[in-house]
Amino acid sequence: MNEKILVVDDEREIADLIEVYLKNDGYTVYKFYNGTEALNCIGQNELDLAILDIMLPDIDGFQICRKIREKFFYPVIMLTAKVEDSDKIMGLTLGADDYITKPFNPLEVVARVKTQLRRYTRYNVGRENARENADERNEMDIMGLHISKDNHKCLLNGTALTLTPTEFDILWYLCSRRGSVVSSEELFEAVWGEKYLDNNNTVMTHIARLREKMNEPARRPKYIKTIWGVGYTIE
């Protein structure tokens, strides 16, 4: 194992607890109580995942996430003490892959870490275990959109799209079900591997980010279309 994980939280008890649980599972942990030291670590070390608290004394977790996404694509999990959807949407919009609301069970954090690292590993090595009833094709071409599961690359009219592992999985899932309408519940459970809860804006936010990267007009998208009250489809 020995994946390297960044943990940033100014609540020392929480940061220390996460560190203990992750180390017990064999991970290498870089722990900091402020954003400044965390940014220095990001620039000097090869990391595999980051756990960022939103509220920090100097640089907030949103800014750190933004800095990470300028150069890196490893998973980012946000920690928030708030329950407002605005915080969750902001983090996901900036490129975070998941969020956990405090208070939480440390075992939940470890489980989320393992889920994100599995996806990131598949993304980098270019192979993915076939899901039950999933489309077995390794490459698809849809109206100038070329997506390859072998090397996890996506081209739109010959231009490479810079996608996070989560964004790639969402796009691949929709492409593999071309012509069918996929509900937010189905998409979330397929990509995140967790039970979908009502009022979950995670899927909607990632779809919006995908459309932005694909230069899709919000009202008349060419590729990912919204079927109101039902879900999403690629025709």
Side-chain angles (χ1 to χ4, degrees):
M1 189 178 290
N2 200 36
E3 285 95 339
K4 299 177 178 63
I5 299 177
L6 174 69
V7 175
V8 190
D9 198 315
D10 64 330
E11 295 184 66
R12 292 174 179 264
E13 296 83 0
I14 292 178
D16 295 347
L17 187 63
I18 294 175
E19 178 187 32
V20 169
Y21 274 79
L22 290 176
K23 283 188 172 181
N24 285 343
D25 259 60
Y27 297 107
T28 297
V29 178
Y30 296 87
K31 178 187 64 179
F32 301 98
Y33 305 121
N34 63 73
T36 302
E37 293 181 349
L39 285 177
N40 291 333
C41 175
I42 291 168
Q44 297 173 6
N45 297 278
E46 293 185 5
L47 302 171
D48 297 292
L49 184 144
I51 300 175
L52 310 175
D53 184 29
I54 291 179
M55 302 299 293
L56 294 170
D58 50 356
I59 303 172
D60 65 38
F62 294 139
Q63 295 182 61
I64 299 174
C65 181
R66 187 183 292 110
K67 285 292 185 181
I68 289 174
R69 285 293 173 254
E70 288 177 359
K71 294 183 179 180
F72 307 108
F73 300 100
Y74 52 75
V76 174
I77 298 175
M78 307 294 291
L79 301 179
T80 174
K82 299 181 179 181
V83 295
E84 287 92 344
D85 285 342
S86 58
D87 278 340
K88 300 171 183 177
I89 293 173
M90 174 65 77
L92 295 171
T93 300
L94 292 174
D97 298 276
D98 201 357
Y99 58 83
I100 301 175
T101 303
K102 300 177 183 178
F104 51 76
N105 186 326
L107 292 176
E108 178 188 3
V109 177
V110 175
R112 298 283 189 94
V113 165
K114 290 180 178 179
T115 297
Q116 293 298 330
L117 285 175
R118 281 196 298 269
R119 180 178 294 122
Y120 183 54
T121 299
R122 290 200 307 263
Y123 184 88
N124 282 313
V125 302
R127 60 175 182 268
E128 179 181 85
N129 295 326
R131 297 187 182 96
E132 185 177 0
N133 299 323
D135 193 314
E136 296 298 329
R137 290 175 293 174
N138 291 324
E139 293 188 1
M140 286 178 278
D141 287 283
I142 301 175
M143 300 181 294
L145 175 67
H146 177 84
I147 185 168
S148 172
K149 193 164 62 173
D150 288 333
N151 56 23
H152 277 250
K153 289 185 178 180
C154 184
L155 300 176
L156 181 59
N157 297 322
T159 301
L161 297 180
T162 305
L163 305 180
T164 67
T166 300
E167 291 163 353
F168 181 93
D169 281 357
I170 290 172
L171 189 57
W172 177 265
Y173 195 89
L174 290 173
C175 287
S176 69
R177 283 151 182 76
R178 181 183 182 185
S180 300
V181 180
V182 179
S183 68
S184 294
E185 178 179 358
E186 177 186 344
L187 190 56
F188 183 86
E189 294 181 0
V191 174
W192 277 266
E194 300 177 12
K195 185 66 177 176
Y196 180 85
L197 300 176
D198 290 339
N199 301 319
N200 190 327
N201 292 306
T202 303
V203 171
M204 179 184 68
T205 307
H206 276 84
I207 292 292
R209 187 170 174 82
L210 263 174
R211 285 173 172 161
E212 180 181 351
K213 290 187 175 183
M214 297 169 73
N215 293 317
E216 287 263 74
R219 294 188 177 182
R220 300 187 65 182
K222 177 181 178 181
Y223 295 96
I224 304 175
K225 298 184 178 181
T226 300
I227 308 300
W228 294 108
V230 184
Y232 302 96
T233 186
I234 292 181
E235 298 176 342

